[in-house]
């Protein structure tokens, strides 16, 4: 039957009806003619680029059949289907979605690997960005909701998709990162009974997105915004026992010492970005954002403080006390007190001091005997006590 199959392949160069028929027959009998596989695939791929919609749709519907019995073509077929997600016609796009789901059910591991390559391999931004966005939407809308059905065996496939996601986080938007993190949190390997090592893995992902290894630049509004978002994203994992040392040390080293400058530089950055917009003055949210961001930082610090280690608490406590003194004046100065700032800082202070009680004597004169040399009971800190209680 070789000549018959060759006749089917040649039919892709004839009439529209013959092309539609060839689009059905080429993938259907593909496995029986391995010597003609290259010719058959190229002829079928030509049909996908036909001007006639009916031919294109028929060719797309046939793509999953190529890898039903010949698994080595899965990666290639998924790659092509990923590119076809940008189709304008609804019926064509629907055919692509169904074909992709069909291939995914055949071999989810190989298919997901090929699909995710569209997310991390962006060489030609203009075209590839469009494909990347469409692939992301497909994964979000079609793959993630069916994780219970598709990710089998569960632990192996959940680990595989976790590795694919981690590889995809090199260049993602804030919304994309939240989408991926929400999905990872929903996996059983990171569920309520997950060991500490798994929680550390998630915290490590969030720390990487927050860019905690970078030198902090107070004028980098984007980094500040990303840092705050990641802080709030990490808090549920701190509650479950994940370590927050890296975030706390970063706050203590870079953020708290320049806390007052954050608003100033944030304002300059936003103004510079929007100064060309004629309606800048009509956007009050832009002006109020910096103060809200500062408050978010203090809220995040407050929410982390109950879950700190004694060592981290001891390191951060002096910085918190200094900020408290700034926002709780000793006497009435006529300035309005920012009670929300004070509430966050007092909350943080109490929890940190509870974790490191012997640090409170030398910082604010409160003598709490723990029996350690760091109590420094022989020294006079009465001035600190007076200074602190007057506030």
């Amino acid at each position: 039957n070789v000549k018959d199959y060759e006749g089917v392949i040649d039919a892709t160069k004839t009439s529209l009806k013959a092309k539609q028929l060839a689009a059905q027959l080429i993938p259907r009998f593909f496995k029986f003619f391995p010597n003609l596989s290259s010719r058959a695939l190229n002829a079928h791929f030509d049909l996908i680029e036909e001007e006639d919609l009916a031919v294109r749709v028929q060719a797309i519907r046939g793509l999953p059949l190529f890898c039903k019995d010949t698994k080595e073509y899965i990666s290639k077929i998924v790659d092509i289907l990923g590119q076809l997600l940008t189709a304008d016609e609804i019926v064509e796009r629907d055919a692509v979605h169904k074909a992709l789901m069909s291939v995914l059910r055949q071999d989810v591991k190989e298919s997901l690997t090929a699909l995710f390559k569209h997310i991390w391999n962006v060489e030609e931004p203009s075209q590839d960005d469009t494909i990347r966005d469409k692939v992301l939407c497909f994964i979000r809308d079609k793959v993630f909701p069916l994780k219970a059905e598709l990710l089998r065996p569960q632990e192996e496939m959940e680990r595989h998709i976790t590795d694919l996601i981690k590889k995809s986080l090199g260049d993602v938007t804030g919304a994309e990162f939240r989408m991926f993190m929400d999905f990872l949190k929903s996996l059983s390997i990171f569920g309520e009974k997950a060991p500490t090592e798994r929680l550390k893995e998630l915290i490590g992902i969030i720390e990487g997105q927050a860019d905690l290894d970078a030198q902090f630049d107070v004028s980098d509004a984007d980094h500040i915004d990303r840092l705050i978002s990641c802080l709030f994203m990490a808090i549920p994992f701190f509650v479950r026992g994940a370590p927050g040392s890296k975030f706390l040390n970063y706050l203590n080293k870079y953020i708290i010492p320049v806390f007052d400058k954050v608003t100033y530089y944030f304002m300059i950055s936003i103004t510079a970005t929007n100064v060309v917009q004629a309606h800048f003055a009509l956007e009050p949210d832009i002006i109020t954002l910096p103060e809200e961001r500062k408050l978010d930082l203090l809220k995040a610090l407050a929410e982390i403080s109950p879950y700190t280690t004694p060592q981290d608490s001891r390191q951060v406590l002096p910085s918190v006390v200094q900020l408290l003194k700034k926002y709780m004046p000793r006497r009435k100065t006529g300035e309005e007190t920012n009670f929300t700032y004070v509430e966050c800082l007092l909350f943080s202070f109490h929890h940190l001091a509870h974790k490191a009680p012997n640090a409170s004597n030398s910082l604010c004169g409160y003598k709490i005997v723990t029996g350690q040399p760091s109590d420094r009971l022989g020294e006079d800190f009465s001035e600190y006590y007076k200074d602190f209680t007057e506030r």
Side-chain angles (χ1 to χ4, degrees):
N1 299 317
V2 173
K3 288 197 178 296
D4 291 336
Y5 194 63
E6 287 178 330
V8 172
I9 294 172
D10 293 337
T12 60
K13 305 296 182 184
T14 56
S15 67
L16 287 178
K17 290 297 181 183
K19 288 176 180 179
Q20 280 185 261
L21 188 58
Q24 296 178 55
L25 297 178
I26 288 175
R28 183 176 172 184
F29 298 103
F30 178 73
K31 63 180 179 180
F32 299 111
F33 303 97
N35 292 334
L36 295 174
S37 60
S38 182
R39 270 183 65 189
L41 280 171
N42 290 334
H44 198 87
F45 295 159
D46 287 341
L47 294 177
I48 292 171
E49 298 177 3
E50 277 287 329
E51 290 185 14
D52 185 77
L53 176 62
V55 174
R56 293 203 308 272
V57 170
Q58 191 63 60
I60 290 167
R61 287 172 179 166
L63 285 174
L65 293 174
F66 282 108
C67 32
K68 190 172 183 180
D69 297 295
T70 47
K71 300 290 187 184
E72 64 267 25
Y73 292 104
I74 286 178
S75 183
K76 187 177 185 67
I77 297 302
V78 171
D79 178 58
I80 291 168
L81 286 168
Q83 296 176 51
L84 292 174
L85 285 169
T86 58
D88 295 325
E89 297 287 346
I90 294 176
V91 64
E92 186 175 2
R93 206 160 54 241
D94 185 55
V96 174
H97 287 174
K98 288 178 178 176
L100 262 174
M101 291 307 299
S102 176
V103 181
L104 274 163
R105 287 186 170 95
Q106 291 177 32
D107 190 327
V108 66
K109 189 172 187 177
E110 188 73 22
S111 299
L112 282 176
T113 302
L115 204 54
F116 268 87
K117 285 180 181 177
H118 284 294
I119 300 175
W120 67 65
N121 286 344
V122 181
E123 296 172 0
E124 300 174 11
S126 57
Q127 176 63 18
D128 286 359
D129 272 353
T130 306
I131 296 172
R132 179 184 179 278
D133 291 343
K134 294 294 184 182
V135 169
L136 272 170
C137 289
F138 177 81
I139 290 172
R140 179 194 65 203
D141 300 334
K142 303 292 184 180
V143 178
F144 285 174
L146 295 177
K147 66 177 187 295
E149 173 194 341
L150 295 174
L151 301 183
R152 297 288 176 188
Q154 188 179 51
E155 186 167 347
E156 177 190 336
M157 286 310 305
E158 285 188 352
R159 168 49 54 196
H160 181 65
I161 199 170
T162 298
D163 293 339
L164 291 175
I165 288 172
K166 286 166 73 173
K167 196 172 179 180
S168 304
L169 297 177
D171 185 20
V172 291
T173 65
E176 290 166 358
F177 183 69
R178 283 190 292 275
M179 175 193 75
F180 280 134
M181 288 306 301
D182 286 342
F183 175 71
L184 290 177
K185 285 190 295 184
S186 72
L187 297 178
S188 62
I189 60 172
F190 299 112
E192 291 183 5
K193 297 181 181 179
T196 308
E197 291 72 25
R198 296 266 173 84
L199 298 180
K200 285 181 179 178
E201 183 180 357
L202 288 183
I203 286 295
I205 294 172
I206 299 173
E207 288 171 351
Q209 185 67 13
D211 207 6
L212 298 185
D213 292 322
Q215 186 75 20
F216 180 70
D217 179 2
V218 73
S219 64
D220 188 348
D222 178 65
H223 189 195
I224 295 172
D225 201 44
R226 192 165 70 251
L227 174 68
I228 295 169
S229 297
C230 289
L231 266 170
F232 280 107
M233 204 178 294
I235 287 170
F237 302 113
F238 297 148
V239 175
R240 292 172 59 188
S245 298
K246 197 164 185 179
F247 270 109
L248 274 170
N249 291 337
Y250 196 86
L251 288 174
N252 190 43
K253 184 176 180 181
Y254 295 114
I255 307 296
I256 298 177
V258 296
F259 187 74
D260 293 324
K261 297 178 183 177
V262 171
T263 294
Y264 174 72
Y265 281 112
F266 215 104
M267 278 294 296
I268 289 177
S269 175
I270 289 174
T271 305
T273 304
N274 296 275
V275 72
V276 294
Q277 299 179 7
H279 61 283
F280 175 71
L282 302 176
E283 296 183 3
D285 288 346
I286 290 177
I287 297 172
T288 58
L289 176 64
E291 200 63 31
E292 292 174 2
R293 296 283 79 180
K294 287 182 71 175
L295 180 56
D296 284 339
L297 278 169
L298 293 182
K299 282 181 178 179
L301 177 63
E303 290 200 40
I304 292 172
S305 60
Y307 311 105
T308 56
T309 64
Q311 182 180 356
D312 290 335
S313 299
R314 194 172 290 107
Q315 289 179 349
V316 178
L317 196 55
S319 302
V320 171
V321 170
Q322 288 305 312
L323 271 186
L324 259 177
K325 288 182 177 181
K326 177 169 183 60
Y327 289 104
M328 293 175 67
R330 187 181 297 187
R331 295 181 181 83
K332 294 291 182 182
T333 59
E335 296 180 9
E336 189 175 336
T337 301
N338 190 324
F339 287 104
T340 316
Y341 279 20
V342 171
E343 180 185 14
C344 290
L345 287 166
L346 278 175
F347 187 91
S348 302
F349 168 75
H350 278 280
H351 279 284
L352 294 171
H354 174 71
K355 294 289 181 77
N358 50 15
S360 60
N361 192 12
S362 58
L363 288 174
C364 45
Y366 282 92
K367 292 184 180 180
I368 300 174
V369 181
T370 65
Q372 300 296 319
S374 50
D375 290 343
R376 298 170 68 177
L377 296 178
E379 301 178 51
D380 183 12
F381 295 108
S382 55
E383 280 299 316
Y384 290 168
Y385 180 80
K386 181 183 177 183
D387 178 56
F388 199 75
T389 50
E390 278 187 11
R391 300 172 190 277

